[in-house]
C-alpha cells in the first residue's frame, strides 16, 4: 500500500455550513467528522447521517451533496490510490490509531496550514489504516495470516520459511501473493513496515535511535540508519530534528 498519494489535507473548525452544496473531486476524498453532524446524499438518493467519530469515503468523479445539521469540525484528506477499494460513497467508523493520527494532524495544522512532508506522513498513515481495516477481509485468508504474523513479530528476524509454515503455502506462492497485493517481496514488505513504524516512533517518542532500531527488528544501528536514509531520504536523526512533535 505504498502507492497512496496525498494531494490535500485541511481541518475545519466550527463550520455552520459547507462552502458549497455539492462538489465533484478529481481524486478520492475522506471527510472525517470530529464533532457535530452532517448529512450526505448517496448514489441511491438516500440521506445518510454522519456523526462524531465517523468518516465518509467519497470516490473520485462523484458529485458529493451534503449539508450541516449541527455545527461541525472535520478533517478532509484528498488522496489517490491505484487500487481504489470502492467506487461508491461509504461511511466508516475511525479506530484508535486513526484518532491518534488525526490529533497529530490537528496540531500540525495549527502550526502551518499547508501540506508538508509531516502532514503527508500522518495522512498516509491514516489512509493506510483505513484501507487495511476495510480491505483486509477481501484478502485471501492465507495473506491475512501472513500480514498479522509479520505485524506481531516485526521486532525480530522473519524468514520466508516461517511465512510458508504459518500459511501452509509454498515459498513461490507466498512471494506471488505479496507481489500481487503489495507489489513487494516478503522481505521488502517487512522492511517497509519497519521503516514506517520507526518514523512514527522517531516523531512521537523520546526513545533513542538505537532502541527504536532494535524495537522494529534491526540488530545493527548503522545498518538501520543506512536503510532508513535509502527509504526516507534523510537519516533517522535528521528526521527526528525535522519532524518531532
Amino acid at each position: 500500500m505504498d502507492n497512496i498519494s496525498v494531494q490535500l489535507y485541511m481541518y475545519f473548525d466550527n463550520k455552520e455550513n459547507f462552502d458549497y452544496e455539492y462538489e465533484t473531486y478529481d481524486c478520492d476524498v475522506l471527510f472525517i467528522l470530529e464533532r457535530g453532524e452532517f448529512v450526505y446524499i448517496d448514489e441511491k438518493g438516500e440521506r445518510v447521517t454522519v456523526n462524531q467519530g465517523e468518516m465518509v469515503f467519497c470516490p473520485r468523479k462523484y458529485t458529493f451533496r451534503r449539508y450541516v445539521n449541527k455545527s461541525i469540525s472535520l478533517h478532509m484528506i484528498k488522496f489517490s490510490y491505484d487500487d481504489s477499494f470502492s467506487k461508491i460513497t461509504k461511511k466508516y467508523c475511525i479506530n484508535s490509531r486513526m484518532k491518534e493520527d488525526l490529533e497529530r494532524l490537528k496540531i500540525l495544522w495549527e502550526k502551518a496550514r499547508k501540506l508538508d512532508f509531516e502532514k503527508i506522513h500522518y495522512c498516509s498513515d491514516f489512509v493506510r489504516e483505513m484501507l487495511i481495516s476495510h480491505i483486509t477481509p477481501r484478502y485471501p485468508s492465507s495473506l491475512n495470516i501472513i500480514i498479522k504474523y509479520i505485524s506481531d513479530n516485526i521486532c525480530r528476524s522473519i524468514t520466508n520459511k516461517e511465512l510458508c509454515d504459518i500459511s501452509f503455502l509454498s515459498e513461490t506462492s507466498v512471494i506471488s501473493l505479496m507481489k500481487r497485493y503489495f507489489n513487494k517481496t516478503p522481505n521488502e514488505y517487512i522492511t517497509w513496515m519497519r521503516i514506517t513504524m520507526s518514523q512514527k516512533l522517531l516523531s512521537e517518542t523520546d526513545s533513542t535511535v538505537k532502541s527504536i532500531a532494535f524495537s522494529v527488528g534491526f540488530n545493527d544501528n548503522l545498518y538501520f540508519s543506512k536503510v532508513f536514509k535509502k527509504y526516507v531520504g534523510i537519516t533517522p536523526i535528521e528526521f527526528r530534528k525535522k519532524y518531532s512533535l
Side-chain angles (χ1 to χ4, degrees), residues 37-244:
E37 179 182 291
F38 77 90
V39 173
Y40 74 92
I41 312 301
D42 69 10
E43 286 81 354
K44 297 178 181 179
E46 297 179 353
R47 290 172 170 79
V48 182
T49 301
V50 184
N51 296 295
Q52 177 178 325
E54 295 179 329
M55 61 181 167
V56 178
F57 169 79
C58 178
R60 66 197 73 174
K61 301 189 183 304
Y62 177 73
T63 301
F64 191 59
R65 301 177 183 273
R66 62 282 169 97
Y67 60 87
V68 175
N69 265 354
K70 299 177 184 177
S71 178
I72 60 173
S73 295
L74 81 161
H75 304 259
M76 176 183 178
I77 300 174
K78 294 178 68 174
F79 69 99
S80 295
Y81 178 60
D82 291 347
D83 305 311
S84 186
F85 72 107
S86 180
K87 301 296 183 182
I88 60 172
T89 56
K90 198 162 184 179
K91 184 174 71 170
Y92 301 104
C93 290
I94 65 172
N95 60 32
S96 57
R97 177 169 176 176
M98 293 176 188
K99 187 175 180 180
E100 289 178 6
D101 284 333
L102 294 177
E103 289 171 352
R104 297 291 180 181
L105 283 166
K106 186 176 178 180
I107 293 171
L108 293 169
W109 179 255
E110 292 303 320
K111 289 183 178 180
R113 302 192 174 191
K114 63 179 181 179
L115 187 64
D116 51 30
F117 180 87
E118 201 168 5
K119 292 187 187 72
I120 289 173
H121 168 70
Y122 285 106
C123 283
S124 297
D125 192 63
F126 183 95
V127 173
R128 189 178 296 111
E129 180 66 19
M130 185 271 293
L131 292 171
I132 289 173
S133 298
H134 300 292
I135 290 181
T136 297
R138 296 173 58 184
Y139 288 157
S141 58
S142 54
L143 185 55
N144 288 335
I145 292 170
I146 291 171
I147 294 170
K148 186 177 187 305
Y149 186 84
I150 291 173
S151 178
D152 291 344
N153 296 276
I154 199 70
C155 63
R156 66 172 185 80
S157 176
I158 302 171
T159 66
N160 282 358
K161 184 178 184 305
E162 290 177 71
L163 301 181
C164 293
D165 290 343
I166 57 103
S167 63
F168 300 101
L169 296 174
S170 67
E171 184 171 11
T172 300
S173 295
V174 168
I175 293 173
S176 178
L177 269 177
M178 298 295 287
K179 291 285 284 184
R180 177 183 175 186
Y181 285 93
F182 300 109
N183 196 31
K184 289 176 171 53
T185 65
N187 284 338
E188 289 170 341
Y189 178 85
I190 291 167
T191 300
W192 170 73
M193 281 293 296
R194 285 172 173 160
I195 296 301
T196 299
M197 290 175 67
S198 69
Q199 286 178 293
K200 191 173 182 67
L201 291 171
L202 285 165
S203 63
E204 297 180 6
T205 74
D206 294 324
S207 300
T208 65
V209 172
K210 184 176 182 179
S211 65
I212 289 174
F214 277 85
S215 71
V216 297
F218 287 91
N219 295 323
D220 186 322
N221 186 39
L222 293 177
Y223 179 65
F224 164 67
S225 295
K226 180 180 179 181
V227 174
F228 187 96
K229 185 172 184 179
K230 178 182 176 182
Y231 273 75
V232 184
I234 55 178
T235 67
I237 293 175
E238 291 169 335
F239 180 90
R240 167 165 277 170
K241 286 180 179 178
K242 191 171 183 180
Y243 299 111
S244 177

Side-chain angles (χ1 to χ4, degrees), residues 3-57:
N3 50 350
I4 297 168
S5 175
V6 177
Q7 273 85 47
L8 177 73
Y9 167 78
M10 297 183 74
Y11 176 74
F12 302 93
D13 195 21
N14 293 317
K15 292 277 288 184
E16 297 294 336
N17 294 288
F18 286 100
D19 292 339
Y20 304 99
E21 181 182 345
Y22 59 88
E23 283 187 89
T24 304
Y25 303 100
D26 57 0
C27 57
D28 296 333
V29 184
L30 284 173
F31 296 93
I32 308 108
L33 192 59
E34 181 181 283
R35 183 179 58 81
E37 179 182 291
F38 77 90
V39 173
Y40 74 92
I41 312 301
D42 69 10
E43 286 81 354
K44 297 178 181 179
E46 297 179 353
R47 290 172 170 79
V48 182
T49 301
V50 184
N51 296 295
Q52 177 178 325
E54 295 179 329
M55 61 181 167
V56 178
F57 169 79

